[in-house]
Amino acid sequence: MRLYDTAVRAVRDFVPRVPGQVGIYLCGLTVQAGPHIGHLRSAVNYDVLRRWFLHRGYAVTFVRNITDIDDKVLAKATAAGRPYWSIAYANEILLAADYRRLGVLPPTYEPRATGHVPEMHALIAELIAAGHAYPAADGSGDVYFDVRSFPAYGDLSGQRPEDMRGTPDGPARAKRDAHDFALWKGVKPDEPGDAYWTSPWGPGRPGWHIECSAMARRYLGAEFDIHGGGLDLTFPHHENEIAQSRAAGLPFARYWVHHALLNLGEAKMSKSLGNVVDLEYVASLGVRSAELRYYLAAPHYRSRIDYSDDALREAAVAYQRLENFVHRAAERVGPGAPGELPADFVAAMEDDLNTSAALAVVHESLRTGNSALAAADDATLRAALAAVRGMLDILGVDPLAAPWHDGSTGGDLRGVVDALVALALEQRAQARSRKDWAAADAVRDQLKQAGVVVEDTAHGPRWTVGEQ
RNA sequence: GGUGGGGUGGCCGAGAGGCGAGGCAACGGCCUGCAAAGCCGUGAACGCGGGUUCAAAUCCCGUCCCCACCUCCA
């Protein structure tokens, strides 16, 4: 397996810290609002990475955090007159629902920042003791990381502090250097009164970055394999995480994986710009969540996606072709199970998770399968179906997998409808044998009006209910 | 100002010195009573200008445009 490592700006071989195991920490969301599809892209990308490791036989520990306290959450709480935690939690529920709808596997653990204040305190104390952090001298209760005490600061993002613009309007207050960042933020009078914890440095709340260093350490250890997140987190968030952890003597992440962002209208999708597409909007286009997942997983994870309704609809059509084959093949030879993966698919995935090249292999197998279907070559068909399902399963879009086909497909009425349709089809078959095309087509048209679509195949008529 | 990544056929999207990924759309054919689905085939691309090379989408130089980050960000 080869992965692009931001720290060295090159694709390199993945060597796990412990053979057969991989620990991944992914920066999840700040739950200040519901998720948009850019956030979901992040989840899908790492879900595919995770599934690939699982497929390769690794024991995967996958930790994705929830940042449930920050300036925006507090501001919203104040504006709404509600506790900050009720806002964070409401958004966390929305997020979980969207993950589920997209078939994202639940993480091994999903820690919340506010649940790990003691771990943060411990780390901050270590940093102060080691001379890498200092309580502000202005009585604010803030604790800052001393950037100049850590020479490697800037290595991840390739920047030198002296070249940076620096904080234009930030409260320099008691910072020793404009680039120092807060580990702990002292109470401010204009913020909610229930958003604080006591600490050796006075009442306050966590700075943004410290939570990830503290939680990664707790659940993955001092050193772990992969740290992931969006490209926009490279600086300052990940740079600061490295600084905090390494300065405290923790080796921290061995590989840094960053996915590209999803843009809408020439700018990255973000709440503050208001250019946001969420699952509700996608549903309003008639695009299902499996189709959205296909859209998000098809381009390489390091390529920017310029969102458009048309591109999404096009992806939906492409996915329907795959789905169509899987359903038809399963009707013919049974669903079987996801099977052996073609070598080209494996090679593509091993090469920095090239899902786009991998999908080309899926389509090749699809063609083989469709030909076998037409030729009633069941052995070839079975093999093609297993291969296609196996590959789609890695991408998390196997049409026969649980997330996509449960719910509302008729339930108890399926048998009843089956019998009724069979009756109608028998009439149509008789009409066709008389070459009474008008009568045969009338049956088909009436069924269609009732939502039943009839197609003739090499193995006789096939019917499906609505949907496509 | 600093740092990183881009511009590929009508559209989406891989590739990173030589065999034209793949998908969507279009066109032609096959299959079909018709349809649907499918199969076979066709055309078409590397922002622009130079250069290196037997050979450049890929390397070099220049140039234009775009995106992300430089302390809210997936």
Side-chain angles (χ1 to χ4, degrees):
Chain A
M1 178 66 175
R2 291 162 58 72
L3 275 177
Y4 184 88
D5 181 2
T6 305
V8 296
R9 275 169 246 298
V11 175
R12 62 189 185 101
D13 287 332
F14 175 73
V15 180
R17 190 179 66 83
V18 177
Q21 298 180 23
V22 52
I24 304 175
Y25 186 93
L26 171 63
C27 281
L29 298 201
T30 300
V31 281
Q32 50 108 352
H36 60 241
I37 62 173
H39 299 129
L40 298 175
R41 178 195 192 180
S42 174
V44 167
N45 283 160
Y46 292 99
D47 192 50
V48 171
L49 176 66
R50 182 180 179 193
R51 286 169 187 254
W52 185 246
F53 277 126
L54 288 170
H55 171 78
R56 298 302 262 173
Y58 286 95
V60 181
T61 304
F62 187 89
V63 176
R64 183 187 60 212
N65 73 294
I66 293 276
T67 299
D68 58 346
I69 185 165
D70 89 318
D71 292 351
K72 284 184 181 173
V73 172
L74 296 183
K76 287 188 178 182
T78 302
R82 287 169 52 193
Y84 82 91
W85 37 265
S86 73
I87 289 175
Y89 190 58
N91 287 320
E92 186 180 323
I93 288 171
L94 293 176
L95 179 61
D98 281 6
Y99 284 149
R100 185 184 299 267
R101 283 166 72 187
L102 279 180
V104 175
L105 300 172
T108 314
Y109 192 55
E110 187 165 43
R112 296 188 192 120
T114 57
H116 298 78
V117 171
E119 287 84 350
M120 298 183 212
H121 284 172
L123 188 53
I124 293 169
E126 288 170 53
L127 287 169
I128 292 174
H132 289 291
Y134 57 94
D138 63 354
S140 61
D142 292 354
V143 179
Y144 293 109
F145 183 87
D146 185 350
V147 165
R148 282 178 296 181
S149 75
F150 187 72
Y153 191 77
D155 282 359
L156 178 71
S157 57
Q159 304 187 94
R160 301 261 61 97
E162 54 271 27
D163 293 332
M164 297 177 194
R165 274 183 180 148
T167 23
D169 56 0
R173 303 209 298 226
K175 287 187 184 181
R176 290 178 189 169
D177 185 289
H179 305 293
D180 290 353
F181 55 91
L183 300 171
W184 188 254
K185 297 181 172 182
V187 259
K188 294 187 199 70
D190 58 330
E191 291 180 347
D194 62 346
Y196 298 98
W197 288 259
T198 57
S199 85
W201 316 284
R205 62 184 171 93
W208 174 30
H209 319 290
I210 194 71
E211 60 178 272
C212 290
S213 287
M215 294 189 288
R217 179 191 201 176
R218 168 141 194 180
Y219 299 106
L220 295 169
E223 183 180 23
F224 57 96
D225 296 293
I226 296 172
H227 191 127
L231 209 50
D232 53 351
L233 296 184
T234 312
F235 191 92
H237 187 51
H238 292 337
E239 193 75 72
N240 291 354
E241 283 185 49
I242 290 180
Q244 293 160 349
S245 294
R246 295 251 167 98
L250 309 169
F252 211 50
R254 293 158 58 94
Y255 295 81
W256 287 86
V257 174
H258 289 102
H259 68 268
L261 305 182
L262 187 149
N263 283 20
L264 174 57
E266 311 257 290
K268 74 173 173 179
M269 195 170 280
S270 75
K271 290 279 179 192
S272 46
L273 292 175
N275 58 340
V276 165
V277 167
D278 58 17
L279 268 190
E280 194 183 347
Y281 176 79
V282 167
S284 78
L285 296 176
V287 173
R288 296 168 296 155
S289 51
E291 294 162 346
L292 172 64
R293 179 167 173 131
Y294 180 90
Y295 173 73
L296 295 174
H300 186 90
Y301 75 89
R302 286 192 289 116
S303 293
R304 187 178 84 209
I305 296 180
D306 283 309
Y307 175 82
S308 75
D309 291 350
D310 284 344
L312 176 60
R313 286 199 191 92
E314 190 180 282
V317 170
Y319 179 69
Q320 283 159 23
R321 180 173 143 83
L322 294 165
E323 190 179 34
N324 234 322
F325 165 72
V326 170
H327 285 318
R328 284 162 198 269
E331 285 166 20
R332 172 77 185 161
V333 296
E340 193 92 353
L341 304 178
D344 287 350
F345 180 90
V346 173
M349 293 299 285
E350 289 279 290
D351 182 16
D352 194 29
L353 224 60
N354 191 338
T355 50
S356 188
L359 272 173
V361 183
V362 174
H363 280 98
E364 280 166 29
S365 296
L366 187 78
R367 216 175 305 119
T368 304
N370 272 324
S371 295
L373 197 56
D377 176 356
D378 288 350
T380 303
L381 179 59
R382 237 184 294 272
L385 176 61
V388 167
R389 286 195 62 198
M391 293 186 278
L392 293 183
D393 186 52
I394 296 292
L395 301 175
V397 290
D398 174 13
L400 299 181
W404 318 122
H405 77 155
D406 58 4
S408 72
T409 341
D412 295 347
L413 288 176
R414 179 82 195 182
V416 176
V417 175
D418 203 11
L420 290 172
V421 172
L423 202 63
L425 287 179
E426 175 55 29
Q427 305 231 324
R428 175 166 176 266
Q430 287 177 15
R432 291 183 78 204
S433 65
R434 300 193 299 271
K435 296 202 191 303
D436 182 353
W437 309 126
D441 291 350
V443 172
R444 187 169 63 192
D445 291 346
Q446 282 173 23
L447 284 172
K448 186 168 186 181
Q449 287 210 333
V452 176
V453 179
V454 176
E455 303 161 36
D456 293 316
T457 75
H459 323 291
R462 166 183 193 268
W463 65 272
T464 46
V465 177
E467 198 65 65
Q468 350 160 21

